[in-house]
Amino acid sequence: MSLRVGCVLTTALAFCFLGCSTATAPVTANLDVSPLNPVYTTVLRSLGIGAVVQRELATDWPADYDHRAAHGLGLPVELLVELRLVTATARPVVAADLPLGVEAVPAHRIGELFAGGREPGWQAFEGAFPGVNGIVRLSGVLPLPSSHRVLVYASHSLGCLNGEGRFYILKRAKSGWRIVRSISAWVS
């Protein structure tokens, strides 16, 4: 029996989103984060990886959380604003951005599943993606001024009133990317 793993990224829904992008807006550091796969793989593993990722990138964290999150992460609030800008101008997530076996699904497909409401939507989602651990939405990846670190946002929704959005700081090490700090932006 094989486990179906997928990822759905979208900005059209207030559900969870995990996205991957290459920044087209100016960034604060010149850190090469391509391919993005290792960054997103590290975040997905922390979430249990068995999720559908929405292709479109997410900026679904409340703007009034920028100050709290920046303080909790020890970053200037301007970097969270810059993360929104990078995400807004980045390309959608593609299969190469995600771990092998994780699927990027367009927002309109998720929207179709949830057109009848949340409860029937989750039932439709479970039918369309059996064995998958919810929907993940990602932001773009923002290189931080200090070397070898990036900022990314991910939200993960597993059902009605069962989800969380988090900011992550990842650091590149010889063995790959690792999460060095994270803070919750919202919980339902």
Side-chain angles (χ1 to χ4, degrees):
M1 178 175 169
S2 65
L3 174 66
R4 182 171 181 183
V5 178
C7 288
V8 175
L9 305 174
T10 185
T11 54
L13 297 176
F15 301 111
C16 291
F17 169 95
L18 177 60
C20 184
S21 71
T22 54
T24 57
V27 293
T28 56
N30 197 12
L31 177 63
D32 178 21
V33 291
S34 59
L36 293 170
N37 179 287
V39 172
Y40 289 135
T41 298
T42 301
V43 172
L44 285 167
R45 283 187 181 139
S46 78
L47 298 171
I49 207 166
V52 168
V53 173
Q54 183 177 300
R55 285 194 77 237
E56 295 79 10
L57 296 176
T59 57
D60 65 352
W61 68 88
D64 59 334
Y65 283 26
D66 285 359
H67 287 282
R68 190 182 105 210
H71 177 74
L73 293 168
L75 297 173
V77 71
E78 293 79 19
L79 288 176
L80 275 80
V81 172
E82 191 170 348
L83 180 61
R84 282 182 194 278
L85 294 173
V86 165
T87 299
T89 60
R91 67 168 169 73
V93 174
V94 296
D97 296 330
L98 302 170
L100 189 61
V102 175
E103 183 179 355
V105 178
H108 70 85
R109 173 71 175 119
I110 302 286
E112 292 168 358
L113 294 173
F114 286 89
R118 288 184 180 172
E119 197 69 38
W122 280 109
Q123 291 172 359
F125 177 83
E126 290 167 5
F129 301 100
V132 169
N133 186 22
I135 303 168
V136 176
R137 299 179 70 211
L138 295 168
S139 73
V141 175
L142 176 68
L144 296 175
S146 57
S147 64
H148 306 292
R149 294 188 320 153
V150 296
L151 176 64
V152 66
Y153 167 80
S155 63
H156 185 206
S157 187
L158 298 108
C160 294
L161 299 177
N162 185 2
E164 179 181 26
R166 243 181 204 293
F167 292 98
Y168 296 88
I169 295 177
L170 292 89
K171 183 175 183 175
R172 184 182 288 177
K174 289 180 183 178
S175 61
W177 291 93
R178 65 181 178 89
I179 296 170
V180 293
R181 184 174 285 175
S182 71
I183 188 168
S184 179
W186 60 268
V187 176
S188 70

